[in-house]
Amino acid sequence: MLFLLTNRTRPGLTASQYGELAALAKQFYASIPADVSLRGEWAATDQSHNYTLLEAPDIEAVRRLQAPFEGFTETVIVPVTAISGWTAS
């Protein structure tokens, strides 16, 4: 299944907390589970949010991946499907 994650860093984090968040991110990218595939990542130009499109077996797998970040980010997880066939009329 495909999931779109919208992440926003919680306001008011200390420098130490940003360091913890960075360490968590490095750990995540070094050990992405075999059944999860990152399809793309984007950041808002003002750096207020980032967006991740990933493929995972189910929403529980995504929630487990996101759990370590809960104290540092606000995240919305939306199951998505590709669309095609739209044309201008």
Side-chain angles (χ1 to χ4, degrees):
M1 292 183 70
L2 291 174
F3 298 91
L4 181 65
L5 283 67
T6 302
N7 298 293
R8 181 181 161 289
T9 303
R10 292 186 185 278
L13 294 183
T14 65
S16 174
Q17 288 171 314
Y18 273 109
E20 290 177 56
L21 178 56
L24 283 171
K26 287 179 184 179
Q27 181 181 351
F28 168 77
Y29 288 108
S31 61
I32 297 171
D35 60 351
V36 173
S37 173
L38 292 179
R39 296 287 195 92
E41 294 185 285
W42 301 268
T45 54
D46 66 0
Q47 299 181 354
S48 62
H49 292 78
N50 67 39
Y51 307 89
T52 302
L53 180 63
L54 61 82
E55 187 170 0
D58 54 45
I59 197 161
E60 291 307 317
V62 178
R63 288 182 178 138
R64 282 191 302 275
L65 289 173
Q66 193 60 31
F69 298 94
E70 286 178 357
F72 306 100
T73 63
E74 297 169 354
T75 302
V76 176
I77 302 169
V78 179
V80 296
T81 354
I83 58 173
S84 63
W86 291 42
T87 59
S89 36

